[in-house]
Amino acid sequence: MRRFSVAALVAATTLGTVLTAAPAQARANCTATACHFDVPPGTYDVQVLLGGESASSTSVSGETRRSLLPETAAPAGEHVVRSFTVNVRTPEGEPTGADGTPGLDLVLGGSAPALAGIKVTPARHTRQILLVGDSTVCDQPGDPYSGWGQQLPRYLRKGLSVANHADSGESTVSYLADSRLWATVQPLIRPGDLVLIQLAHNDKTTDEATYRANLETLVAGVREKGGEPVLVTPIVRRWFNADGTLDNNTALLVNGLGVNHPAVIRSVAAAHDVPLIDLTAKTKTLVESLGVEASKVLYLYNEKRDNTHTSVHGATVYADLVRDELVARHLVPKGSLRVG
């Protein structure tokens, strides 16, 4: 990688681009397909200038496989400007995982990527969407896995950032008990921030009273910091009945003790006046409408015979459902979100 000083604007001869980064002492390394910025943990606004002499189509991902900008076309000889806000943290992916690479890493993708310029600056007046969840939500480190929280940033415009603190294997019990999880997340919540909570898949041995109390603890903890909690029912497991429906305990997250997790979440939301995103109902409708065969691509059935974890495609589709619900429930302004 070529190394650039960013005390001032510098022309990048490899790309024909102009790059900047902040703070002034930060340094940037770029190739034709990736950029690394030596910045400390924090929240950063990124502005990209896309396009070139030929027609191009460029997407941007970053950090631990997060989708930050959907594929964006630019006609030959023209440029388009896009901006987004990204959360940089350590660990950069799952909270109990490896630290990852310090700084901000961005990767260009798409059918014909072309980067003409890029600028990274500390974000100001940014609203956070913090995610508390399990492996179906988290920033999955390895292909072909992806959590819906990993794809949600692609739908957000500059000024909204996703801080994904979901972690594989976590239940409401373990999330509250591990100091790397809730005890770390709660101090990060600022007044006005959204905190989306989806924990259920791993509460297989949690009794109903404990499960309800744990959800109430999370809700109260968010409100204590001035944040707005949003309860999210879990995505369904792709577990069909013979008649093509998902009306069974495995699909609908009813545990071995008979605890109906989505029902309890709905009850807690109603009792405590908490906004609810009923992702169980939304994903059930979608999976059933696709049917046994077509729904396989949403999950990792073809790759892993896995009917719980989603593919990149499935996670993107489910993140789209979350995006729609954020708008429908007036949790974020429509203008803050991308259409696709």
Side-chain angles (χ1 to χ4, degrees):
M1 280 189 173
R2 183 167 297 203
R3 194 166 183 81
F4 301 98
S5 171
V6 294
L9 296 180
V10 178
T13 56
T14 302
L15 300 175
T17 66
V18 174
L19 298 102
T20 64
Q25 298 306 309
R27 299 185 71 84
N29 298 278
C30 277
T31 67
T33 57
C35 284
H36 172 80
F37 293 90
D38 290 336
V39 294
T43 306
Y44 295 89
D45 290 331
V46 179
Q47 182 184 85
V48 291
L49 183 67
L50 305 176
E53 294 182 0
S54 302
S56 63
S57 188
T58 310
S59 62
V60 182
S61 60
E63 297 295 89
T64 304
R65 302 177 61 242
R66 297 180 219 160
S67 179
L68 299 171
L69 184 72
E71 193 157 352
T72 302
E78 297 184 20
H79 294 98
V80 297
V81 177
R82 294 290 184 270
S83 298
F84 53 87
T85 302
V86 59
N87 173 252
V88 176
R89 60 182 182 271
T90 303
E92 69 176 31
E94 294 182 82
T96 64
D99 283 355
T101 305
L104 171 61
D105 289 287
L106 301 174
V107 178
L108 303 180
S111 58
L115 177 68
I118 186 167
K119 182 179 180 182
V120 174
T121 54
R124 307 187 190 284
H125 312 298
T126 298
R127 188 185 189 193
Q128 297 182 109
I129 300 178
L130 297 100
L131 304 182
V132 169
D134 53 35
S135 58
T136 65
V137 184
C138 75
D139 287 348
Q140 289 279 0
D143 190 59
Y145 293 88
S146 181
W148 61 255
Q150 202 164 15
Q151 302 302 320
L152 186 60
R154 66 186 274 128
Y155 294 115
L156 308 185
R157 297 184 186 275
K158 176 185 173 183
L160 270 178
S161 70
V162 172
N164 191 349
H165 293 273
D167 195 68
S168 294
E170 305 301 341
S171 65
T172 58
V173 175
S174 63
Y175 204 94
L176 286 168
D178 193 325
S179 62
R180 296 168 294 180
L181 299 172
W182 183 238
T184 296
V185 174
Q186 191 191 20
L188 301 176
I189 301 170
R190 305 173 308 202
D193 286 343
L194 289 178
V195 183
L196 276 56
I197 302 165
Q198 186 215 279
L199 287 167
H201 279 273
N202 300 301
D203 279 280
K204 298 173 184 177
T205 60
T206 309
D207 63 79
E208 183 169 339
T210 301
Y211 186 64
R212 180 181 297 271
N214 289 343
L215 292 176
E216 291 172 339
T217 296
L218 291 166
V219 166
V222 174
R223 286 175 167 168
E224 179 184 327
K225 292 295 185 178
E228 183 170 6
V230 180
L231 288 174
V232 183
T233 59
I235 67 170
V236 294
R237 295 191 179 101
R238 186 190 158 278
W239 202 269
F240 282 93
N241 298 322
D243 63 359
T245 67
L246 297 177
D247 295 316
N248 59 76
N249 289 353
T250 299
L252 299 183
L253 283 298
V254 179
N255 75 9
L257 301 178
V259 180
N260 186 322
H261 294 105
V264 175
I265 295 169
R266 296 176 189 121
S267 174
V268 171
H272 295 277
D273 194 25
V274 179
L276 175 74
I277 295 178
D278 199 341
L279 206 50
T280 305
K282 293 287 184 181
T283 55
K284 178 178 185 292
T285 297
L286 176 60
V287 172
E288 286 182 340
S289 70
L290 290 173
V292 174
E293 289 302 317
S295 64
K296 288 178 179 178
V297 297
L298 296 175
Y299 293 82
L300 294 175
Y301 180 85
N302 293 326
E303 299 87 348
K304 304 284 186 179
R305 295 297 188 267
D306 187 334
N307 291 306
T308 297
H309 297 98
T310 48
S311 62
V312 171
H313 169 69
T316 303
V317 170
Y318 288 175
D320 192 10
L321 296 177
V322 173
R323 184 270 311 269
D324 289 347
E325 287 294 290
L326 290 173
V327 172
R329 307 206 174 282
H330 306 290
L331 295 168
V332 298
K334 187 175 182 180
S336 298
L337 302 178
R338 299 185 195 279
V339 174

